[in-house]
Amino acid sequence: MASAVATATKDAAVPRASDSPVWLQVLSGMLLATVYIAISAGMILFNKALMREDRFPFPVFLTTLHMTGSLSFSLLLWNLLPSFFPSASTVFEEVPGDDKSLLRIF
């Protein structure tokens, strides 16, 4: 009985996307898409300006640097705000007797 009350209390405190109006969900989706496109375009233009013979002629190093930064920031975000990764808990849960459980990540 106590666990049912605790579960109900915990579920009531968690805001869900379905609780907000549809127009607000659409607006937040559009805002996130716009920010993503702006950041992506900014990085493309920055790389275009940077990748010249007289400035920085090392494309492999720049790509490695970007991938390392992306991995570092995504791991930091995953550790600080795991709620941003709702499917990660199902990917990393262990299945008894399953030797290929790590292959599900890829």
Side-chain angles (χ1 to χ4, degrees), residues 88-98 101-102 104:
S89 61
T90 59
V91 170
F92 293 113
E93 70 184 18
E94 293 185 22
V95 177
D98 186 13
S101 60
L102 284 179
R104 290 188 296 149

Side-chain angles (χ1 to χ4, degrees), residues 58-77:
F58 307 110
V60 174
F61 177 72
L62 185 63
T63 303
T64 304
L65 194 62
H66 283 163
M67 291 304 294
T68 304
S70 296
L71 176 66
S72 301
F73 286 124
S74 64
L75 288 175
L76 180 69
L77 187 64

Side-chain angles (χ1 to χ4, degrees), residues 4 9 13 19 24 26 29 32 36 41 45-46 53 56-57 61 64 71-72 80 82 89 91-92 97-98:
T9 305
D19 293 342
L24 188 59
V26 170
L32 287 174
Y36 179 80
L45 292 174
F46 175 74
E53 287 292 327
F56 192 79
F61 177 72
T64 304
L71 176 66
S72 301
L80 293 178
S89 61
V91 170
F92 293 113
D98 186 13

